[in-house]
Amino acid sequence: MLYLKLSLTNPISNGLVKKQIIMTEKKVIAVVGATGAQGGGLVRAIMNDTNSEFTARALTRNVNSDKAKALAKLGAEVVAADVDNPKSLKRAFEGAYGAYCVTFFWEHFSPEKEQAQARAMAEAAKSTGVQHVIWSTLDDTRNWIPLDDDRMPTLMEKYKVPHFDSKGEANAIFTDLGLPVTLLNTSFYWENLIYFGMGPKKGPDGKLVLTLPMGDKKLPAIAAEDIGKCAYGIFRRGSELIGKTIGIAGGHLTGGQMAASLSEALGEEVLYNDIEPEVYRSLGFPGAEDLGNMFQFKRDFEEVYCRSRDLDGARSLNPSLQSFDDWLAQNKERIPLD
Ligand SMILES: NC(=O)c1ccc[n+]([C@@H]2O[C@H](COP(=O)([O-])OP(=O)(O)OC[C@H]3O[C@@H](n4cnc5c(N)ncnc54)[C@H](OP(=O)(O)O)[C@@H]3O)[C@@H](O)[C@H]2O)c1
């Protein structure tokens, strides 16, 4: 995409200001899920950086939604695309330098659908010659807990943590096509305390309780907006991180440490309620078994999981990376406490 940039150079010797018109070509990053948490953070990171070498193309199914209009207002190009429609993806990736690819597991709960969507994005990137793809992925937990390991139940016949395993399995779709891809291992969003019903709840005695099946182990997590900012950092590094797997988090905190930070921010004591993963799996809400296994994986493989999500590495990509306390200072009023 061509942009006209008017640049004022330093005053020259006769005291006049020399005006120069420079044609600048900005590289387009096509962003899937642009009206959502991850993609939205990336579009805002690009468009809020006025000197960026990049510009964002925001993909959405509804170009007229309020969220899409807000992105257009920032200067992003907003285009219609549906990850279930390969032709629309190909159109939307045409001419782009980069593509941010993410899937939406919790809209359908289907690993097979998630993999079909990953394949559609990878093939669209391949056929349009995208030069840098970021695939927002998670670990295939079966590399640590094979299906015949009965520490946790196998779900949907061939997964331990379906929404992790299917993304991890889809890594090969991108690499087998020979795409110039960075695999981005994201982390638990602190926003889950707001939107996913995981925030502190009042117990029968009226005390606030944060329930997580993490024992005394650390949970790597991040402010959702920082995922997009880190992705922007990856694109800004040029080809350096192509072919690499990058894990990011804004903090590694135990349930007890999260409860202590919540107590401080809310001005009211929050207790950590450590439950067993099997209890979490039986809570009965959609996805409870998947999430129970996920937390158990993070608990039982704390060292490897934390090591793969390095805080300093994330901060080097995104110098404004938020800690949990930073995030709470901005978001504490949004956490429902009923
Ligand atoms: N919650 C967590 O802690 C967490 C942590 C790590 C990873 N994840 C993963 O993050 C992924 C979701 O990303 P997110 O949180 O950024 O999503 P999100 O905030 O739920 O946003 C999803 C956006 O994607 C778009 N979308 C949905 N279906 C689409 C389709 N068929 N075609 C095109 N666009 C579609 C929607 O935009 P339009 O309506 O505008 O089209 C929507 O605004 C999930 O796969 C989840 O497993 C979640």
Side-chain angles (χ1 to χ4, degrees):
M1 185 174 281
L2 279 179
Y3 283 79
L4 274 182
K5 188 168 141 195
L6 185 67
S7 100
L8 297 178
T9 60
N10 288 331
I12 52 174
S13 55
N14 64 5
L16 294 173
V17 173
K18 184 179 163 202
K19 287 184 183 169
Q20 222 180 15
I21 293 186
I22 300 172
M23 297 290 277
T24 309
E25 183 143 8
K26 290 211 179 206
K27 297 175 185 166
V28 174
I29 307 286
V31 183
V32 177
T35 57
Q38 296 187 26
L42 175 57
V43 173
R44 285 183 284 279
I46 295 171
M47 300 314 298
N48 288 334
D49 178 358
T50 43
N51 291 319
S52 181
E53 64 182 299
F54 300 106
T55 186
R57 181 181 293 163
L59 277 58
T60 171
R61 291 165 301 176
N62 178 7
V63 297
N64 293 314
S65 72
D66 289 346
K67 285 181 173 177
K69 284 182 187 161
L71 299 176
K73 215 169 164 189
L74 289 178
E77 180 192 4
V78 176
V79 304
D82 188 326
V83 291
D84 294 323
N85 177 341
K87 272 192 191 155
S88 74
L89 272 179
K90 205 178 151 198
R91 263 197 311 274
F93 281 8
E94 206 69 63
Y97 159 85
Y100 187 78
C101 299
V102 56
T103 42
F104 314 102
F105 185 87
W106 301 113
E107 294 211 353
H108 47 70
F109 295 78
S110 162
E112 287 72 26
K113 187 158 185 181
E114 184 161 55
Q115 296 209 6
Q117 293 177 337
R119 180 168 296 284
M121 289 185 279
E123 287 176 349
K126 182 76 183 174
S127 66
T128 53
V130 169
Q131 294 174 56
H132 191 173
V133 176
I134 296 180
W135 163 231
S136 171
T137 187
L138 290 165
D139 315 66
D140 187 337
T141 64
R142 297 166 297 181
N143 293 331
W144 290 273
I145 308 191
L147 293 185
D148 62 3
D149 187 326
D150 57 12
R151 273 177 290 177
M152 64 176 68
T154 292
L155 304 176
M156 300 178 182
E157 294 176 9
K158 49 180 182 173
Y159 302 101
K160 287 298 189 187
V161 184
H163 79 285
F164 268 54
D165 300 347
S166 66
K167 290 184 184 67
E169 195 173 320
N171 292 352
I173 297 173
F174 290 85
T175 52
D176 288 353
L177 281 172
L179 282 166
V181 64
T182 303
L183 303 174
L184 178 62
N185 274 326
T186 61
S187 289
F188 182 89
Y189 309 169
W190 285 314
E191 280 73 8
N192 293 335
L193 303 180
I194 303 173
Y195 303 116
F196 229 85
M198 293 186 186
K201 302 271 175 296
K202 293 244 188 243
D205 59 359
K207 287 204 166 166
L208 286 171
V209 173
L210 175 72
T211 299
L212 285 174
M214 285 296 296
D216 61 356
K217 305 300 184 202
K218 291 176 178 158
L219 174 68
I222 195 163
E225 190 76 6
D226 279 332
I227 297 176
K229 289 184 178 178
C230 289
Y232 181 43
I234 291 171
F235 282 124
R236 290 182 68 194
R237 295 264 181 101
S239 59
E240 185 188 329
L241 300 177
I242 288 175
K244 302 256 176 11
T245 299
I246 304 295
I248 53 170
H252 297 166
L253 280 81
T254 63
Q257 289 169 329
M258 288 177 74
S261 283
L262 280 159
S263 304
E264 179 75 23
L266 299 172
E268 184 177 345
E269 189 182 21
V270 177
L271 301 169
Y272 171 46
N273 178 29
D274 171 30
I275 59 171
E276 286 302 319
E278 45 269 41
V279 176
Y280 200 94
R281 281 191 280 274
S282 67
L283 289 177
F285 62 85
E289 288 183 299
D290 189 333
L291 292 172
N293 282 6
M294 175 193 79
F295 284 121
Q296 185 175 345
F297 169 72
K298 293 176 183 178
R299 185 194 70 175
D300 294 354
F301 295 87
E302 180 203 32
E303 201 209 323
V304 74
Y305 193 73
C306 285
R307 202 173 348 106
S308 69
R309 282 156 171 82
D310 175 50
L311 304 181
D312 291 339
R315 190 162 293 105
S316 75
L317 292 167
N318 165 24
S320 66
L321 187 76
Q322 296 173 69
S323 67
F324 187 45
D325 290 337
D326 296 336
W327 181 86
L328 279 172
Q330 300 295 322
N331 293 282
K332 61 186 176 191
E333 279 91 11
R334 300 167 67 210
I335 301 174
L337 299 176
D338 41 28

